[in-house]
């Protein structure tokens, strides 16, 4: 029902910024909660933040004040703006869709996942 494709990853210097996009298709996309996760090599998938269908957001403590999630429902796109990036935040970043309208921090609660986009932060 929903397909997600992330883009915008790349190589940035520590302290730099990057904006990731998640293009979605689906009839009920605007009512889905959307989450961002990341997974570094040898690490478990980590919650970054989410946005509800009404636009309320929540973030992991580690990224509060630096990352911003937004959604542009008319374009079926969710964004993750990342500022002041740190080398330890090098990871594959994934977007995910929850068929419920509210947010969720547990990855197993999400119904659909994108393929991920690599973000590398150099030191």
């Amino acid at each position: 029902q929903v397909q997600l494709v992330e883009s915008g990853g790349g190589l940035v210097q520590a302290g730099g910024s990057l904006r990731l996009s998640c293009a979605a298709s689906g009839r009920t996309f605007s009512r889905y909660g959307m989450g961002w996760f990341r997974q570094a090599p040898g690490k478990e998938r980590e919650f970054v933040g989410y946005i509800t269908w009404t636009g309320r957001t929540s973030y992991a403590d580690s990224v509060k004040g630096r990352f911003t999630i937004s959604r542009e429902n008319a374009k079926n796109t969710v964004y993750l703006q990342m500022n002041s990036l740190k080398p330890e935040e090098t990871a594959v970043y994934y977007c995910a869709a929850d068929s419920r309208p509210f947010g969720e921090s547990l990855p197993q609660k999400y119904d659909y996942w994108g393929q991920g986009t690599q973000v590398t932060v150099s030191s």
Side-chain angles (χ1 to χ4, degrees), residues 81-102:
Q81 177 67 47
M82 303 183 293
N83 298 327
S84 302
L85 282 161
K86 305 173 182 179
E88 58 264 36
E89 293 176 312
T90 292
V92 176
Y93 283 69
Y94 299 88
C95 67
D98 184 349
S99 61
R100 301 170 299 177
F102 45 84

Side-chain angles (χ1 to χ4, degrees), residues 39-54:
Q39 188 165 23
K43 303 287 187 177
E44 294 185 352
R45 191 161 296 189
E46 176 188 18
F47 169 73
V48 174
Y50 67 69
I51 185 167
T52 70
W53 75 274
T54 59

Side-chain angles (χ1 to χ4, degrees), residues 22-116:
C22 176
S25 61
R27 297 176 184 177
T28 59
F29 171 74
S30 64
R31 294 188 180 272
Y32 284 19
M34 299 293 297
W36 283 97
F37 295 80
R38 62 190 179 192
Q39 188 165 23
K43 303 287 187 177
E44 294 185 352
R45 191 161 296 189
E46 176 188 18
F47 169 73
V48 174
Y50 67 69
I51 185 167
T52 70
W53 75 274
T54 59
R56 296 178 66 251
T57 56
S58 183
Y59 303 93
D61 288 342
S62 61
V63 306
K64 284 181 179 177
R66 297 186 297 114
F67 289 14
T68 302
I69 299 172
S70 61
R71 63 192 300 166
E72 196 168 346
N73 290 338
K75 300 180 69 174
N76 292 324
T77 303
V78 177
Y79 303 97
L80 176 64
Q81 177 67 47
M82 303 183 293
N83 298 327
S84 302
L85 282 161
K86 305 173 182 179
E88 58 264 36
E89 293 176 312
T90 292
V92 176
Y93 283 69
Y94 299 88
C95 67
D98 184 349
S99 61
R100 301 170 299 177
F102 45 84
E104 176 61 62
S105 62
L106 296 174
Q108 61 265 37
K109 297 295 186 179
Y110 284 83
D111 300 299
Y112 308 98
W113 291 84
Q115 84 289 351

